[in-house]
Amino acid sequence: MSKSESWETTSTSFHFGAGCIDARDDWAKPAPQKTGSARTPGKCFVVTDANVGPHYAKPVCGKLEKSGYEVTTETLPPGEETKNPQTIIDLTEKFAKAGLGRDDLVIGLGGGVVTDIAGFAAAVYMRGIAWRAIPTSLLGQVDAAIGGKTGVDLRAGKNLFGAFHQPEKVIIDPSVLKTLPGRHFCSGLVEVIKYGFIHDPGILDLLRPAGTKMAEDPGLLPESTIKDCALFKSRLVEKDERDTGAREILNYGHTIGHALEAAAGYRDLLHGEALVFGMLGAAMIGAHMGTCGEEIPDFTKKLFAELPVRRDLPTLSQERIMEHIYSDKKKRGGELRFVLPIEVGKVTIKTVDRKTVEEIVERILAEY
């Protein structure tokens, strides 16, 4: 096992390290009460999916049972299609059947879909019970499981039905990425790249020498990079839990990216695959509006050509994409706010008119 590390924010304890799920017991123990006194373990409901459960449900449940929890497990079908309101209704009914009370615990064991679902179900059941995230995808470890944004998709758009509900613990074990399919690893890699564009250009310098080899050997991605991304987001969320200020820069590429996912019916594009074109679109809008020069979209295209990311789109309707863009959560007063680049590692937030967005979307669809 690599060195295990921990850090705290005002709402969440983070445990990080390859092998920490097996090697550490503290993540599975009850969190202390606000008074500081020990909490008695009660019932715990583990939510996973059919891809992750066979690998990790047994050791995770074993740790929880060793800590004194009475554990129930629910295995969901994998994939974005499961992220819908009916899943939340069905899951909370199962919480009730299992006898979960206000002092009990939900665990999300899986990728971003699973942690989004488990966190949202915990948020609405009995008006909110505690939950913990054990992300098993790269996307989950650097982004989706951190920050308390939980929710599911509506036909109108991605993540429109949800709540802010912070996990009390997040357990990030990079060793579990060895069972992650290559396509999903590459999808998560795009979120890592995002941090290079909004925060630390050194991340991009670190990734480029490995190039497309990372698709076959995820171990080429340093564990320290995963930790740095998780730590950066957790500190940003601590400053702006409700996504109304500093945290907004994390949405770089997501306005167009989410619309592409929705227009594809959440089937043909993974989140990171759509985000490739979302970040390219943001760079193109930035150059059009003068927040950056043409060198930024040119650099973005070149970077994605060097790394193992998707570089083609399925056939999509521009009209449908625009509909989803304008149902986006990031609108303010009916106007679209985009995170736009100034330079690599520095971004700004601007209102963008519909005509400009339509022109950029049209260019992306024509080129890819």
Side-chain angles (χ1 to χ4, degrees):
M1 187 186 100
S2 64
K3 181 182 177 183
S4 182
E5 302 178 61
S6 299
W7 69 90
E8 304 275 339
T9 65
T10 52
S11 57
T12 304
S13 298
F14 290 84
H15 304 267
F16 180 91
C20 69
I21 291 175
D22 288 328
R24 294 182 62 158
D25 296 323
D26 51 352
W27 67 260
K29 293 179 180 178
Q33 301 184 69
K34 291 181 179 180
T35 60
S37 59
R39 181 182 292 167
T40 303
K43 297 179 186 294
C44 177
F45 200 105
V46 175
V47 182
T48 188
D49 69 24
N51 287 338
V52 172
H55 294 288
Y56 304 114
K58 186 175 180 179
V60 165
C61 292
K63 285 281 185 178
L64 291 162
E65 289 168 347
K66 183 179 177 182
S67 293
Y69 283 103
E70 178 186 335
V71 181
T72 301
T73 304
E74 177 66 17
T75 302
L76 302 174
E80 190 78 21
E81 297 94 332
T82 302
K83 236 178 88 171
N84 62 70
Q86 189 60 50
T87 298
I88 299 301
I89 293 170
D90 294 343
L91 193 55
T92 49
E93 289 281 8
K94 290 175 180 177
F95 289 176
K97 186 176 180 180
L100 263 66
R102 292 292 299 274
D103 293 329
D104 291 321
L105 178 65
V106 173
I107 301 265
L109 171 65
V113 168
V114 168
T115 56
D116 278 359
I117 290 170
F120 185 36
V124 296
Y125 181 70
M126 292 190 171
R127 298 186 176 89
I129 65 173
W131 78 289
R132 299 177 190 176
I134 307 179
T136 60
S137 69
L138 180 57
L139 176 64
Q141 294 188 355
V142 300
D143 184 73
I146 302 165
K149 280 186 178 181
T150 69
V152 296
D153 305 329
L154 299 178
R155 285 188 291 272
K158 187 176 174 73
N159 294 332
L160 294 183
F161 186 42
F164 288 96
H165 188 45
Q166 298 292 341
E168 62 178 21
K169 296 185 181 183
V170 177
I171 300 91
I172 302 173
D173 184 343
S175 71
V176 303
L177 299 180
K178 66 181 182 291
T179 57
L180 186 67
R183 184 185 175 195
H184 288 264
F185 174 82
C186 294
S187 174
L189 189 65
V190 182
E191 283 284 0
V192 176
I193 292 167
K194 179 193 76 176
Y195 287 103
F197 277 109
I198 68 173
H199 168 59
D200 181 7
I203 290 173
L204 307 181
D205 295 333
L206 192 66
L207 297 180
R208 294 177 79 180
T212 57
K213 295 177 184 176
M214 276 187 290
E216 289 78 39
D217 184 5
L220 291 172
L221 177 65
E223 290 177 19
S224 60
T225 301
I226 298 173
K227 190 200 82 169
D228 290 346
C229 291
L231 182 61
F232 175 72
K233 179 171 182 179
S234 68
R235 295 304 184 203
L236 206 57
V237 169
E238 191 170 31
K239 297 176 185 175
D240 176 27
E241 185 173 314
R242 307 289 291 189
D243 201 17
T244 58
R247 180 177 181 169
E248 287 185 278
I249 67 170
L250 295 168
N251 295 322
Y252 184 64
H254 282 64
T255 301
I256 291 176
H258 279 173
L260 293 172
E261 280 186 86
Y266 303 112
R267 291 184 300 273
D268 296 332
L269 282 172
L270 297 178
H271 174 71
E273 294 172 341
L275 190 56
V276 168
F277 304 98
M279 287 195 280
L280 178 58
M284 292 165 72
I285 292 172
H288 177 85
M289 294 183 64
T291 68
C292 67
E294 288 290 345
E295 71 275 5
I296 300 301
D298 290 345
F299 173 77
T300 303
K301 291 179 184 179
K302 183 179 179 182
L303 178 70
F304 286 137
E306 295 174 357
L307 294 171
V309 300
R310 182 167 178 167
R311 292 183 287 275
D312 67 291
L313 284 169
T315 301
L316 298 173
S317 160
Q318 182 173 348
E319 181 180 356
R320 289 286 292 155
I321 293 168
M322 292 305 299
E323 287 175 4
H324 287 298
I325 286 174
Y326 271 85
S327 67
D328 191 84
K329 304 180 296 301
K330 295 176 282 298
K331 282 192 304 183
R332 297 288 187 273
E335 295 184 314
L336 276 177
R337 288 160 55 83
F338 271 76
V339 183
L340 302 176
I342 297 173
E343 58 190 43
V344 177
K346 187 176 182 181
V347 293
T348 186
I349 299 173
K350 297 284 186 182
T351 298
V352 182
D353 64 89
R354 185 182 183 105
K355 182 181 177 183
T356 296
V357 179
E358 286 179 339
E359 288 176 358
I360 297 304
V361 169
E362 185 176 5
R363 285 173 59 187
I364 290 172
L365 292 178
E367 189 169 347
Y368 296 97

